[in-house]
Amino acid sequence: MSPRDEFQVLLRRTGRWWAIDIPRLDLHTQCRTLDGAEDLARGLVAEAVGVPADLIVLKMVVPELEPVLGPVAEARHRRAAAVAAEDQAIAAAVHELVDKLHVSQGDAARLLGMPPSEVAHFTPQRGSAAAGTGQGAGQRIPPRAPSPPRPGAAAPASGSRPGLPRRPRQMISPARPAWAISDDGTAGRG
């Protein structure tokens, strides 16, 4: 028996308690909370198979609640697939716009209705090791946390006086394509 094997844990509500059954190992116990159920089951399995608890993989199942929880799991699966499909479509569009048509990342961002920093996640860094290792277009890199503003230093907007705060950009609605918003915030071919 490998410690990486998945152990199914069946849970059912009995009054204010959760009954915990691990059929594969014929283990049974109970506890008050689901958090406690997972910790307790992990400890029981670890002791029974003789491996550290952090190596145990559990599949927590509440059969009586499948009609309630099943549609949620299906919807989450569909959403994850849709996000992956969106990422692929964006990566293909960014590759076509930036690499083949030589559109700037800023203009590509505007055309796609997303911030330039997001577009940058879909483009390979020029001259870096990432470009040669298969990283880049098509692979989403997690966004970096924004750096904190420097005290007393306000970045001047283009054409504005230093020290004045920049006017916030208009948020782009999914119903209005980004290219339909001009720089002054009015509708048009900016």
Side-chain angles (χ1 to χ4, degrees), residues 117-178:
S117 61
E118 280 291 307
V119 170
H121 293 299
F122 290 97
T123 57
Q125 295 177 347
R126 306 261 186 240
S128 72
T133 60
Q135 236 181 339
Q139 293 182 341
R140 188 171 223 170
I141 301 166
R144 291 185 287 257
S147 55
R150 292 178 298 169
S158 175
S160 67
R161 290 181 285 162
L164 294 179
R166 291 184 71 166
R167 162 176 75 86
R169 290 192 65 163
Q170 179 176 352
M171 293 301 295
I172 299 169
S173 161
R176 294 176 66 190

Side-chain angles (χ1 to χ4, degrees), residues 57-80:
V57 178
L58 300 178
K59 180 179 181 184
M60 309 294 281
V61 180
V62 186
E64 64 192 336
L65 296 179
E66 177 57 29
V68 175
L69 302 176
V72 174
E74 288 174 25
R76 286 181 175 154
H77 178 72
R78 286 191 307 269
R79 180 178 60 189

